[in-house]
Amino acid sequence: MIEPVTPRIEIDLAKIAHNATELKQLYNSKGIGIMGVTKVVCGSYTIAEVLVNNGIHTLADSKIQNLKILREAKIRAQLVLLRTPALSEIDMVIQYADISMNTELSVIKALSVSATKYDTLHKIILMIELGDLREGIMPDDIEEFIRKVLGLPGIEIVGIGASFACFGGVKPSEQNMKQLSLLSIEIENKFSLPLSFVSGGNSANFDWFIATESTGNINNVRLGESIFLGCEPLERKVIPGLYTDAFTFVAEVIEVKIKPSEPYGELGQDAFGNRPKFQNRGLMRRGILGVGSQDVLVTGLQPEDDIDILGSSSDHTILDLKRTDLKVGDEVRFSLNYGALLSAMTSPYVFKQYTSLQ
C-alpha cells in the first residue's frame, strides 16, 4: 500500500469528465464549441486525455512547454497557444502548436519564416481589443492588419477572438459580443475569409451565454475554470449541475502549540516585505502546516475543518485550530480557488494524486 504524500492535490477525473460533458452539451445547444484550457492544470496530459475522451478536441495553453508535453504524449487534439508567441520561441510554436493567437505583425512574420523552414502551414487567430486592455489589435486597425498577413507564406488566418475579465475585469456583454460578431462578418465578406473560430471569450461568458437570445457569429469559447472548478469567474457563482470539488488540496500538521495571538518583540517587515497586523485574541491553539507560499497561493485555500488560516511564510502556514482536535501528523483538507489551483498544479513540491475513471 502506498503511503499518502503531503502536500498533495487530489484530482477526481470522473468529476472533471462530468463537467466537460455537461458544458459541451450546454454550449453546443446554441452552436458554440469549446476549447479546453489546460494552463491551470499545468498541461496535465492525464487531464487533457479526459477532456478529449469527453468530446473536447481543441486544447489551449499559454505555455509552449505544456503544449510540448501534450504533443509528446500523443494527445489526439488540435493544440492552441493561448497567447501571442514570444519571438524567442517561434520555432517551438511551429513544432508544437497547430494554432497560435496573435496580435503583432512582426511575430506573425517570424512564424511565416519558421513555417516555411519546416514546410508546414501554421494557423493563427487574431485577437481583438474590446475593452479589457490585455492583448488585442484595435478594431479600427484590423482590416489593414489582415491585408498585411494574407500575403505571408505558411500562415493561415482561421479566426478572431477577444479576451474578457482576465485583466481589466470587463464583462462579456451583449454589446461587445455583438461587436465581435459583426466584425467577424465584415472580415469574412471583405476578404472572402471563412473564420473557423470566432472566439468570444472564456468561462466569464457563461452569464452572457445563458441570457442572450442570439449568439450571432460567436462559435467558440475557451473554458478552464468552469470545467475544473464548476463556476463562472465574474462572481464565482456555481454553474448548476457541475461539480465544484474536483480538486482538493491536502497538507499535514507539523506543529501544535498554545501560543499568544500576537507576535511580541520589536516588529519589522515579514518575509515578503509586508507589515502584518494582528488582533489580540489571547492565547490560542495554533497549528503549522508544512506548506507555504512557495507551494500554493495560501489565500486561495478554504479549509474543510472549522479552523482559520492566520497567514503564511514561504514554507509554513499558520492556523488557528479553534476547537478541533487536530494533532501533529494529521491531514487538513482544503478547497481551492482558481489562483490556488494554478499555483498548486504548477508547484513541483505538490504531489498530484489522480483518481482514475471507473
Side-chain angles (χ1 to χ4, degrees):
M1 181 176 177
I2 300 175
E3 291 295 324
V5 177
T6 60
R8 69 179 181 274
I9 186 164
E10 297 176 354
I11 303 162
D12 191 321
L13 298 177
K15 291 180 178 179
I16 294 171
H18 170 87
N19 286 0
T21 299
E22 290 292 309
L23 287 167
K24 181 176 183 295
Q25 292 175 351
L26 178 66
Y27 280 93
N28 277 354
S29 70
K30 292 186 179 180
I32 292 182
I34 290 175
M35 279 187 197
V37 178
T38 59
K39 66 178 180 179
V40 75
V41 293
C42 201
S44 165
Y45 59 84
T46 303
I47 294 174
E49 191 168 45
V50 171
L51 299 183
V52 172
N53 289 342
N54 287 274
I56 297 177
H57 298 292
T58 302
L59 301 180
D61 204 293
S62 57
K63 303 296 185 187
I64 194 64
Q65 296 92 332
N66 291 345
L67 295 182
K68 182 175 185 288
I69 290 170
L70 299 183
R71 178 74 75 208
E72 292 178 346
K74 302 188 185 306
I75 298 297
R76 303 177 309 279
Q78 189 169 224
L79 300 183
V80 180
L81 182 62
L82 201 57
R83 57 162 174 78
T84 197
L87 286 172
S88 59
E89 62 186 8
I90 291 297
D91 281 358
M92 287 187 69
V93 173
I94 294 299
Q95 292 176 72
Y96 299 116
D98 301 299
I99 304 172
S100 62
M101 296 185 171
N102 283 267
T103 62
E104 287 290 340
L105 188 60
S106 60
V107 172
I108 300 172
K109 287 179 177 178
L111 288 169
S112 170
V113 171
S114 184
T116 302
K117 180 175 70 175
Y118 286 99
D119 192 25
T120 190
L121 181 66
H122 185 72
K123 300 174 182 179
I124 63 173
I125 295 172
L126 300 177
M127 298 300 286
I128 314 297
E129 177 58 69
L130 290 181
D132 199 55
L133 294 181
R134 197 179 69 175
E135 81 279 26
I137 303 160
M138 296 303 292
D140 289 346
D141 299 331
I142 188 64
E143 287 188 13
E144 182 62 25
F145 194 98
I146 289 173
R147 286 192 182 93
K148 292 177 179 177
V149 171
L150 287 177
L152 297 175
I155 298 295
E156 180 184 4
I157 299 172
V158 295
I160 63 172
S163 179
F164 298 97
C166 286
F167 175 71
V170 172
K171 296 180 179 181
S173 65
E174 196 70 24
Q175 180 180 356
N176 50 38
M177 287 297 97
K178 185 174 290 185
Q179 184 181 0
L180 182 65
S181 182
L182 291 174
L183 194 58
S184 72
I185 294 170
E186 290 175 8
I187 290 169
E188 288 181 325
N189 291 339
K190 181 158 289 191
F191 296 99
S192 299
L193 186 65
L195 299 177
S196 300
F197 297 93
V198 182
S199 191
N202 50 41
S203 294
N205 281 66
F206 178 77
D207 284 346
W208 162 79
F209 172 82
I210 294 299
T212 190
E213 295 182 0
S214 172
T215 57
N217 225 32
I218 307 298
N219 62 15
N220 176 264
V221 288
R222 312 178 297 276
L223 302 186
E225 184 164 0
S226 57
I227 294 175
F228 300 124
L229 295 177
C231 66
E232 57 78 33
L234 293 174
E235 304 295 337
R236 263 69 196 191
K237 292 183 297 187
V238 175
I239 296 174
L242 299 191
Y243 289 106
T244 60
D245 59 348
F247 297 84
T248 302
F249 186 78
V250 184
E252 187 175 335
V253 178
I254 62 171
E255 178 185 296
V256 175
K257 304 285 186 193
I258 303 296
K259 293 186 179 183
S261 51
E262 286 186 298
Y264 46 93
E266 186 176 352
L267 301 182
Q269 296 181 357
D270 67 11
F272 299 103
N274 303 310
R275 294 184 180 273
K277 296 180 180 180
F278 299 90
Q279 181 181 1
N280 187 354
R281 295 154 62 183
L283 293 176
M284 64 169 56
R285 190 165 176 268
R286 296 163 70 98
I288 298 179
L289 300 176
V291 296
S293 300
Q294 190 172 12
D295 309 291
V296 65
L297 181 67
V298 175
T299 56
L301 298 176
Q302 180 63 43
E304 293 182 2
D305 294 300
D306 183 22
I307 59 178
D308 292 333
I309 297 174
L310 299 175
S312 65
S313 62
S314 57
D315 47 17
H316 295 77
T317 295
I318 315 302
L319 306 174
D320 178 358
L321 297 179
K322 301 166 81 170
R323 296 178 181 272
T324 64
D325 60 355
L326 288 167
K327 59 186 183 301
V328 171
D330 286 347
E331 293 182 346
V332 182
R333 302 172 66 82
F334 300 87
S335 61
L336 310 88
N337 68 11
Y338 187 86
L341 177 60
L342 179 70
S343 60
M345 290 298 294
T346 304
S347 174
Y349 307 111
V350 177
F351 180 74
K352 282 71 179 177
Q353 179 178 300
Y354 295 93
T355 301
S356 299
L357 293 166
Q358 299 301 317

